[in-house]
Amino acid sequence: MSKDYYKTLGVEKKASKEEVKKAFHKLAHKYHPDKQGGDEAKFKEINEAYQILSDDNKRAQYDMYGSGQPFDFAQGKADGFSGFDFSGFQNGGPFDFAQGKQGFEFDLGDLFGDLFGGQRGGGRAQQKRGRDISVDIQISFKEAIFGTERNILINKISQCESCHGSGAEAGSQMKKCPTCGGKGKVNETRRSIFGVFQSTRECSDCLGRGEVPDKKCHVCKGAGVLNKQENIKVSVPSGIDNGEMIRMTGQGEAVSGGQNGDLYVKIHVEQNSSYKRLGYDLATDLKIKLTDAILGAEYTLETLDGPLTLKIPAGLAYGEILRVKGKGVPVRESNRRGDLLVRVIFSTPAKLSRSAKKAIEDLREEGI
């Protein structure tokens, strides 16, 4: 049975090549087997129709003879898709339609980028961006509570200070890029199983800027960037916790004609033998005498803020917690701080003097 290629693509017989191309793009996007709801058989049909109707000679022969008889397109006869192995196409392999085997190379991802929006997955082209980098630093427990500053020396790709990223020698003029004619992009023609397609890429000579220096910078050789060591000051905010990350926007690696990447600083906090962090609170133990727990007393406690006089109320139970307001971890973006939690512990003496034993026996008689 003769195939109606015009009906397959949904176009009139007098449709222009541009109308045929648009119809094919729409249907290829809809039925592509890699897409959800795609149809491999339907995709092969529209692909076959497009191969015929997009070629002036094949279309003229089809309009004259139809597709009811075998045709070898390599020799100028009728149905050239018999023996078409679609698996080779799916794998992105080269294919020769005349022999039904591999013949020329193409990049399937690049091809469908041209068909469906200029890049894989569609969407607008993003601005060039330098690489993000990360470093680790270690700080003390107290520095994590109150914040600190650190200078770190890192090796990275940075903007050339001599030409300020332009790539031009000082005093040199910029001129229109002869490769792209000042457009910053160049067109490429690619041959694929769907025909000949044109795509646009960034000009490799001017890196998309449209201009090149008349004389290249002697330091970076016209690149605008170079690898060097750089000293960076890191401000560690108060209240930071172990394992947290500080993002420093624009402090990553530079790229010519684009924006810098970011620097990520991972914080490692040293442990403290006396204090533990519980959210925004700090916790510690205070050892006191048994008699002070019974009668009450005052103790001097060394805190991260300095010495603190702590009043022990009489009759305090073992393990009871005393709360000191506002001596904990600073809460970010506020003037508030957590609390200091002091757990009071004491022990009974292993040995007692005769007078001490007599005093405790008197307490026992008192019912204590």
Side-chain angles (χ1 to χ4, degrees):
M1 181 181 293
S2 179
K3 298 179 182 180
D4 190 339
Y5 291 137
Y6 293 103
K7 186 176 180 180
T8 300
L9 293 182
V11 296
E12 299 291 335
K13 191 171 182 179
K14 60 182 180 180
S16 65
K17 290 183 69 173
E18 186 63 30
E19 289 173 330
V20 169
K21 183 178 179 180
K22 287 182 179 179
F24 167 70
H25 287 180
K26 182 178 179 180
L27 293 172
H29 185 49
K30 180 179 179 181
Y31 292 108
H32 189 271
D34 289 343
K35 292 178 61 67
Q36 187 175 4
D39 187 328
E40 181 174 326
K42 186 69 175 177
F43 186 81
K44 283 197 272 187
E45 289 180 13
I46 62 174
N47 184 51
E48 179 180 343
Y50 179 68
Q51 289 296 317
I52 306 303
L53 300 185
S54 62
D55 185 282
D56 292 337
N57 292 331
K58 295 176 184 178
R59 184 173 179 177
Q61 292 166 354
Y62 168 73
D63 289 341
M64 182 176 296
Y65 300 108
S67 62
Q69 54 184 313
F71 196 98
D72 182 354
F73 288 115
Q75 302 299 325
K77 306 173 182 175
D79 188 0
F81 268 77
S82 58
F84 180 86
D85 182 3
F86 195 76
S87 63
F89 162 73
Q90 284 182 308
N91 294 329
F95 201 90
D96 180 355
F97 286 105
Q99 302 296 329
K101 60 183 181 180
Q102 294 182 345
F104 58 87
E105 296 182 358
F106 67 97
D107 186 334
L108 187 61
D110 289 345
L111 174 62
F112 278 92
D114 295 336
L115 289 180
F116 308 134
Q119 64 182 63
R120 300 183 189 185
R124 295 178 300 176
Q126 296 181 348
Q127 182 186 10
K128 285 195 302 181
R129 189 174 181 275
R131 190 170 64 95
D132 293 339
I133 54 178
S134 63
V135 295
D136 294 59
I137 64 173
Q138 184 165 309
I139 61 176
S140 68
F141 189 84
K142 186 174 181 178
E143 287 174 329
I145 301 301
F146 298 110
T148 186
E149 286 187 347
R150 288 290 177 86
N151 288 315
I152 57 175
L153 188 65
I154 58 177
N155 193 55
K156 64 171 186 171
I157 298 175
S158 304
Q159 187 183 79
C160 176
E161 295 180 354
S162 177
C163 65
H164 305 289
S166 69
E169 188 68 38
S172 176
Q173 300 295 320
M174 300 295 289
K175 63 180 181 180
K176 183 187 292 186
C177 176
T179 303
C180 64
K183 296 179 180 179
K185 296 180 179 180
V186 292
N187 294 324
E188 287 184 335
T189 301
R190 307 182 192 181
R191 186 173 175 226
S192 73
I193 61 171
F194 300 133
V196 178
F197 293 92
Q198 283 194 336
S199 63
T200 304
R201 66 169 176 82
E202 182 186 85
C203 176
S204 58
D205 289 340
C206 67
L207 302 177
R209 291 176 293 189
E211 294 181 325
V212 291
D214 195 34
K215 184 179 180 182
K216 293 182 179 180
C217 172
H218 71 283
V219 177
C220 66
K221 310 303 180 186
V225 295
L226 71 167
N227 201 327
K228 66 175 184 177
Q229 283 191 330
E230 191 169 336
N231 196 330
I232 298 177
K233 179 183 287 186
V234 180
S235 296
V236 180
S238 59
I240 199 165
D241 207 351
N242 183 57
E244 283 196 67
M245 196 86 75
I246 300 173
R247 178 184 178 184
M248 301 182 67
T249 304
Q251 292 292 340
E253 291 197 337
V255 62
S256 183
Q259 66 181 58
N260 290 1
D262 298 333
L263 170 63
Y264 290 87
V265 183
K266 188 173 184 180
I267 303 298
H268 299 273
V269 181
E270 296 175 355
Q271 293 185 348
N272 188 283
S273 59
S274 301
Y275 289 91
K276 291 183 179 180
R277 179 170 176 171
L278 302 174
Y280 288 110
D281 294 333
L282 293 175
T284 189
D285 289 339
L286 176 64
K287 294 181 179 180
I288 65 172
K289 297 178 182 177
L290 175 61
T291 52
D292 291 337
I294 297 172
L295 303 175
E298 286 188 350
Y299 276 77
T300 299
L301 180 66
E302 285 296 329
T303 71
L304 298 178
D305 291 274
L308 173 69
T309 301
L310 187 65
K311 185 176 182 180
I312 307 299
L316 195 68
Y318 180 90
E320 194 167 336
I321 295 177
L322 303 178
R323 183 181 293 268
V324 183
K325 293 284 187 180
K327 294 297 182 181
V329 181
V331 180
R332 290 183 206 169
E333 300 179 357
S334 74
N335 295 322
R336 187 173 67 84
R337 287 179 63 179
D339 300 332
L340 173 61
L341 309 178
V342 183
R343 187 178 70 140
V344 178
I345 57 176
F346 49 84
S347 60
T348 56
K351 293 183 180 181
L352 294 173
S353 65
R354 185 176 298 177
S355 59
K357 186 174 182 181
K358 177 68 170 57
I360 292 177
E361 287 175 348
D362 292 339
L363 290 174
R364 183 164 57 182
E365 291 179 2
E366 292 287 335
I368 300 175

